[in-house]
Amino acid sequence: MLIDFILLFLFAGVPYYVFFEKTRILGKEKIFYLSAFLLICGIILSHLSPQTASTPIAVVALIASLFSLYKAKKTTNLYKLAYYILFFNAPMLIMFKTRESTLYGVSLLITLLGIFMMGKYYERNYGSANYRSITGITLVTPYAGLMLTIYLTALALYPPFPNSLMFLNGILAADLSVLWYITVVIIFFGNFLIAVRVMAKTVFGKPNTNVHYIDLAPKERWLHLTIFIILLVLSLVGLEELLA
Protein backbone atom coordinates (compact mmCIF):
# COMPACT_ATOMS: atom_id res chain seq x y z
CA MET A 1 0.00 0.00 0.00
CA LEU A 2 2.87 2.40 0.80
CA ILE A 3 4.37 1.87 -2.65
CA ASP A 4 0.94 2.56 -4.19
CA PHE A 5 0.77 5.89 -2.36
CA ILE A 6 4.26 6.81 -3.49
CA LEU A 7 3.46 5.97 -7.11
CA LEU A 8 0.27 8.00 -6.90
CA PHE A 9 2.33 10.91 -5.56
CA LEU A 10 4.88 10.60 -8.38
CA PHE A 11 2.54 9.95 -11.30
CA ALA A 12 -0.63 11.94 -10.59
CA GLY A 13 0.86 15.42 -10.18
CA VAL A 14 0.33 15.62 -6.42
CA PRO A 15 3.38 17.89 -5.85
CA TYR A 16 2.14 20.21 -8.58
CA TYR A 17 -1.47 20.53 -7.38
CA VAL A 18 -0.57 20.72 -3.69
CA PHE A 19 2.38 23.06 -3.89
CA PHE A 20 3.76 24.31 -7.22
CA GLU A 21 0.48 25.45 -8.78
CA LYS A 22 -0.26 27.63 -5.77
CA THR A 23 3.22 29.02 -5.05
CA ARG A 24 4.44 29.37 -8.64
CA ILE A 25 8.03 28.93 -7.47
CA LEU A 26 8.78 26.97 -10.62
CA GLY A 27 7.96 28.10 -14.14
CA LYS A 28 5.98 25.97 -16.56
CA GLU A 29 9.11 24.60 -18.24
CA LYS A 30 10.70 23.49 -14.98
CA ILE A 31 7.43 21.91 -13.83
CA PHE A 32 7.48 19.73 -16.95
CA TYR A 33 11.08 18.71 -16.27
CA LEU A 34 10.21 17.92 -12.65
CA SER A 35 7.12 15.94 -13.66
CA ALA A 36 9.17 13.94 -16.18
CA PHE A 37 11.80 13.26 -13.50
CA LEU A 38 9.15 12.08 -11.03
CA LEU A 39 7.72 9.79 -13.70
CA ILE A 40 11.14 8.23 -14.24
CA CYS A 41 11.55 7.83 -10.47
CA GLY A 42 8.17 6.10 -10.32
CA ILE A 43 9.11 3.73 -13.12
CA ILE A 44 12.34 2.80 -11.33
CA LEU A 45 10.46 2.31 -8.05
CA SER A 46 7.86 0.08 -9.71
CA HIS A 47 10.69 -2.16 -10.93
CA LEU A 48 12.26 -2.31 -7.49
CA SER A 49 8.95 -3.16 -5.79
CA PRO A 50 6.58 -4.63 -8.38
CA GLN A 51 3.00 -5.13 -7.18
CA THR A 52 -0.64 -4.85 -8.22
CA ALA A 53 -2.31 -1.53 -7.44
CA SER A 54 -5.03 -1.66 -4.80
CA THR A 55 -8.59 -0.70 -5.76
CA PRO A 56 -8.76 2.38 -3.47
CA ILE A 57 -5.55 3.75 -4.98
CA ALA A 58 -6.86 3.09 -8.49
CA VAL A 59 -10.09 4.97 -7.67
CA VAL A 60 -8.17 7.95 -6.26
CA ALA A 61 -5.88 7.94 -9.30
CA LEU A 62 -8.90 7.98 -11.60
CA ILE A 63 -10.49 10.91 -9.74
CA ALA A 64 -7.21 12.84 -9.91
CA SER A 65 -6.99 11.92 -13.58
CA LEU A 66 -10.41 13.43 -14.33
CA PHE A 67 -9.31 16.66 -12.66
CA SER A 68 -6.18 16.74 -14.84
CA LEU A 69 -8.34 16.14 -17.90
CA TYR A 70 -10.42 19.17 -16.94
CA LYS A 71 -7.25 21.25 -16.57
CA ALA A 72 -5.92 20.01 -19.91
CA LYS A 73 -9.18 20.96 -21.61
CA LYS A 74 -9.06 24.49 -20.18
CA THR A 75 -5.46 25.32 -21.07
CA THR A 76 -4.15 26.59 -24.39
CA ASN A 77 -0.53 26.51 -23.23
CA LEU A 78 1.53 23.65 -24.68
CA TYR A 79 3.79 23.45 -21.60
CA LYS A 80 0.83 23.00 -19.29
CA LEU A 81 -0.84 20.62 -21.72
CA ALA A 82 2.23 18.37 -21.63
CA TYR A 83 2.26 17.86 -17.87
CA TYR A 84 -1.52 17.80 -17.47
CA ILE A 85 -1.70 14.93 -19.96
CA LEU A 86 1.09 13.20 -18.07
CA PHE A 87 -0.95 13.44 -14.86
CA PHE A 88 -4.10 12.39 -16.70
CA ASN A 89 -2.52 9.08 -17.70
CA ALA A 90 -1.49 8.24 -14.13
CA PRO A 91 -4.11 5.46 -13.68
CA MET A 92 -2.59 3.48 -16.55
CA LEU A 93 0.90 3.91 -15.16
CA ILE A 94 -0.30 2.62 -11.78
CA MET A 95 -2.64 -0.15 -12.93
CA PHE A 96 -0.61 -1.66 -15.77
CA LYS A 97 1.83 -4.40 -14.89
CA THR A 98 5.42 -3.25 -14.39
CA ARG A 99 6.76 -3.95 -17.89
CA GLU A 100 3.69 -2.59 -19.65
CA SER A 101 3.63 0.49 -17.40
CA THR A 102 7.28 1.20 -18.19
CA LEU A 103 6.82 0.91 -21.94
CA TYR A 104 3.69 3.06 -21.95
CA GLY A 105 5.28 5.61 -19.63
CA VAL A 106 8.39 5.97 -21.81
CA SER A 107 6.32 6.23 -25.00
CA LEU A 108 4.02 8.83 -23.43
CA LEU A 109 6.97 10.82 -22.10
CA ILE A 110 8.70 10.96 -25.49
CA THR A 111 5.46 12.09 -27.14
CA LEU A 112 4.92 14.80 -24.55
CA LEU A 113 8.55 15.86 -24.88
CA GLY A 114 7.80 16.53 -28.54
CA ILE A 115 4.76 18.63 -27.61
CA PHE A 116 6.83 20.44 -24.99
CA MET A 117 9.53 21.23 -27.57
CA MET A 118 6.82 22.56 -29.88
CA GLY A 119 5.82 24.80 -26.97
CA LYS A 120 9.39 26.14 -26.92
CA TYR A 121 9.14 26.78 -30.65
CA TYR A 122 5.89 28.72 -30.10
CA GLU A 123 7.40 30.73 -27.28
CA ARG A 124 10.54 31.57 -29.23
CA ASN A 125 8.70 32.70 -32.38
CA TYR A 126 5.33 33.96 -31.11
CA GLY A 127 6.13 35.20 -27.61
CA SER A 128 4.53 32.39 -25.58
CA ALA A 129 3.66 28.71 -25.68
CA ASN A 130 0.00 29.65 -26.00
CA TYR A 131 -1.48 28.38 -29.26
CA ARG A 132 -4.80 30.25 -29.06
CA SER A 133 -4.09 32.75 -31.86
CA ILE A 134 -1.63 30.63 -33.87
CA THR A 135 -4.10 28.92 -36.20
CA GLY A 136 -3.72 26.97 -39.42
CA ILE A 137 0.00 26.28 -39.06
CA THR A 138 -0.03 23.33 -41.42
CA LEU A 139 -0.70 25.75 -44.32
CA VAL A 140 2.01 28.32 -43.56
CA THR A 141 4.60 26.42 -41.48
CA PRO A 142 4.50 22.88 -42.90
CA TYR A 143 7.37 21.47 -40.85
CA ALA A 144 5.89 22.70 -37.56
CA GLY A 145 2.44 21.56 -38.64
CA LEU A 146 3.71 18.10 -39.56
CA MET A 147 5.60 17.52 -36.32
CA LEU A 148 2.79 18.74 -34.07
CA THR A 149 0.35 16.59 -36.03
CA ILE A 150 2.58 13.54 -35.47
CA TYR A 151 2.81 14.15 -31.72
CA LEU A 152 -0.91 14.76 -31.33
CA THR A 153 -1.75 11.71 -33.45
CA ALA A 154 0.47 9.59 -31.22
CA LEU A 155 -1.18 11.13 -28.15
CA ALA A 156 -4.63 10.34 -29.56
CA LEU A 157 -3.66 6.63 -29.46
CA TYR A 158 -3.74 6.10 -33.20
CA PRO A 159 -1.80 3.09 -34.49
CA PRO A 160 0.91 2.48 -35.55
CA PHE A 161 2.32 5.05 -33.13
CA PRO A 162 3.78 3.49 -29.98
CA ASN A 163 1.34 4.96 -27.45
CA SER A 164 -1.53 2.98 -28.95
CA LEU A 165 0.50 -0.24 -29.14
CA MET A 166 1.76 0.07 -25.57
CA PHE A 167 -1.74 0.94 -24.38
CA LEU A 168 -3.23 -2.12 -26.07
CA ASN A 169 -0.44 -4.34 -24.81
CA GLY A 170 -1.03 -3.14 -21.26
CA ILE A 171 -4.74 -3.91 -21.53
CA LEU A 172 -4.11 -7.41 -22.88
CA ALA A 173 -1.70 -8.19 -20.07
CA ALA A 174 -4.00 -6.87 -17.31
CA ASP A 175 -6.60 -8.60 -15.15
CA LEU A 176 -9.73 -6.77 -16.26
CA SER A 177 -12.46 -5.65 -13.88
CA VAL A 178 -15.33 -3.15 -13.98
CA LEU A 179 -13.01 -0.43 -12.69
CA TRP A 180 -10.52 -1.38 -15.38
CA TYR A 181 -13.09 -1.02 -18.15
CA ILE A 182 -14.20 2.38 -16.86
CA THR A 183 -10.62 3.62 -16.54
CA VAL A 184 -9.57 2.39 -19.97
CA VAL A 185 -12.54 4.08 -21.67
CA ILE A 186 -11.93 7.39 -19.87
CA ILE A 187 -8.18 7.46 -20.56
CA PHE A 188 -8.58 6.42 -24.19
CA PHE A 189 -11.25 8.96 -25.08
CA GLY A 190 -9.65 11.65 -22.92
CA ASN A 191 -6.34 11.41 -24.80
CA PHE A 192 -8.16 11.30 -28.12
CA LEU A 193 -10.44 14.28 -27.48
CA ILE A 194 -7.71 16.52 -26.10
CA ALA A 195 -5.39 15.74 -29.02
CA VAL A 196 -8.13 16.36 -31.59
CA ARG A 197 -9.11 19.60 -29.85
CA VAL A 198 -5.56 20.96 -30.05
CA MET A 199 -5.29 19.90 -33.70
CA ALA A 200 -8.49 21.75 -34.55
CA LYS A 201 -7.34 24.88 -32.72
CA THR A 202 -3.80 25.33 -34.06
CA VAL A 203 -2.83 22.78 -36.73
CA PHE A 204 -5.85 23.15 -38.99
CA GLY A 205 -8.15 26.02 -39.81
CA LYS A 206 -7.44 29.38 -41.41
CA PRO A 207 -4.10 31.11 -40.64
CA ASN A 208 -4.30 34.28 -38.57
CA THR A 209 -3.44 37.23 -40.82
CA ASN A 210 -2.22 39.20 -37.78
CA VAL A 211 0.53 36.67 -37.04
CA HIS A 212 3.93 36.55 -38.75
CA TYR A 213 4.47 32.80 -39.09
CA ILE A 214 7.95 31.30 -38.79
CA ASP A 215 8.61 27.62 -39.49
CA LEU A 216 10.94 25.33 -37.58
CA ALA A 217 14.61 26.25 -37.91
CA PRO A 218 16.97 23.60 -39.39
CA LYS A 219 18.34 22.65 -35.95
CA GLU A 220 14.81 22.30 -34.61
CA ARG A 221 13.88 20.07 -37.54
CA TRP A 222 16.75 17.70 -36.71
CA LEU A 223 15.69 17.63 -33.06
CA HIS A 224 12.09 16.76 -33.92
CA LEU A 225 13.26 14.23 -36.49
CA THR A 226 15.23 12.52 -33.72
CA ILE A 227 12.14 12.41 -31.49
CA PHE A 228 10.13 11.00 -34.41
CA ILE A 229 12.74 8.27 -35.01
CA ILE A 230 12.60 7.33 -31.31
CA LEU A 231 8.81 7.03 -31.62
CA LEU A 232 9.26 4.75 -34.63
CA VAL A 233 11.68 2.54 -32.69
CA LEU A 234 9.20 2.38 -29.81
CA SER A 235 6.50 1.41 -32.31
CA LEU A 236 8.61 -1.57 -33.37
CA VAL A 237 9.11 -2.50 -29.71
CA GLY A 238 5.38 -2.22 -29.08
CA LEU A 239 4.57 -4.37 -32.11
CA GLU A 240 7.06 -6.97 -30.95
CA GLU A 241 5.44 -6.99 -27.51
CA LEU A 242 2.01 -7.56 -29.03
CA LEU A 243 3.20 -10.41 -31.21
CA ALA A 244 5.22 -12.10 -28.44
Side-chain angles (χ1 to χ4, degrees):
M1 180 65 77
L2 177 60
I3 298 299
D4 289 343
F5 273 115
I6 295 175
L7 291 179
L8 181 65
F9 181 87
L10 296 175
F11 290 151
V14 175
Y16 170 73
Y17 291 124
V18 171
F19 185 70
F20 293 113
E21 184 180 41
K22 298 177 180 179
T23 60
R24 299 185 181 180
I25 291 177
L26 295 181
K28 301 179 187 69
E29 293 183 61
K30 292 182 179 179
I31 288 174
F32 175 79
Y33 293 135
L34 175 62
S35 302
F37 174 73
L38 293 180
L39 171 64
I40 294 170
C41 290
I43 289 174
I44 294 173
L45 179 61
S46 65
H47 277 273
L48 295 176
S49 302
Q51 58 184 320
T52 303
S54 63
T55 299
I57 290 294
V59 171
V60 174
L62 180 57
I63 294 172
S65 174
L66 289 172
F67 181 67
S68 293
L69 178 62
Y70 167 78
K71 300 283 282 188
K73 182 180 180 298
K74 298 291 286 185
T75 189
T76 56
N77 184 285
L78 290 175
Y79 293 150
K80 286 187 173 184
L81 180 73
Y83 54 77
Y84 286 150
I85 291 296
L86 192 63
F87 305 154
F88 171 65
N89 282 272
M92 297 294 95
L93 301 174
I94 293 173
M95 296 172 68
F96 279 158
K97 292 182 179 179
T98 302
R99 180 175 178 80
E100 288 71 25
S101 173
T102 298
L103 290 173
Y104 183 65
V106 170
S107 175
L108 177 66
L109 187 57
I110 296 299
T111 302
L112 294 177
L113 175 62
I115 292 176
F116 174 81
M117 295 308 299
M118 288 302 300
K120 293 183 73 68
Y121 152 78
Y122 272 63
E123 184 174 48
R124 183 162 47 253
N125 293 294
Y126 306 120
S128 78
N130 192 312
Y131 61 81
R132 184 189 301 274
S133 61
I134 315 301
T135 56
I137 65 170
T138 192
L139 296 176
V140 285
T141 55
Y143 287 106
L146 173 63
M147 295 315 303
L148 189 54
T149 298
I150 288 173
Y151 300 140
L152 292 172
T153 302
L155 181 62
L157 298 176
Y158 274 107
F161 288 101
N163 298 38
S164 62
L165 299 176
M166 305 305 186
F167 191 85
L168 178 58
N169 188 48
I171 294 172
L172 295 176
D175 299 321
L176 298 181
S177 63
V178 174
L179 177 60
W180 243 112
Y181 284 116
I182 294 173
T183 304
V184 165
V185 169
I186 289 174
I187 300 300
F188 177 85
F189 282 105
N191 281 316
F192 175 80
L193 293 174
I194 289 297
V196 170
R197 176 178 179 272
V198 178
M199 277 192 201
K201 294 288 185 179
T202 187
V203 175
F204 303 118
K206 184 179 180 181
N208 188 341
T209 56
N210 296 317
V211 174
H212 175 62
Y213 289 88
I214 303 173
D215 210 345
L216 291 172
K219 289 184 179 179
E220 292 175 308
R221 296 175 194 177
W222 282 110
L223 172 63
H224 287 285
L225 178 61
T226 301
I227 296 175
F228 176 61
I229 291 173
I230 294 173
L231 289 175
L232 289 181
V233 172
L234 288 172
S235 291
L236 294 176
V237 173
L239 184 60
E240 183 181 4
E241 288 291 318
L242 285 173
L243 298 177

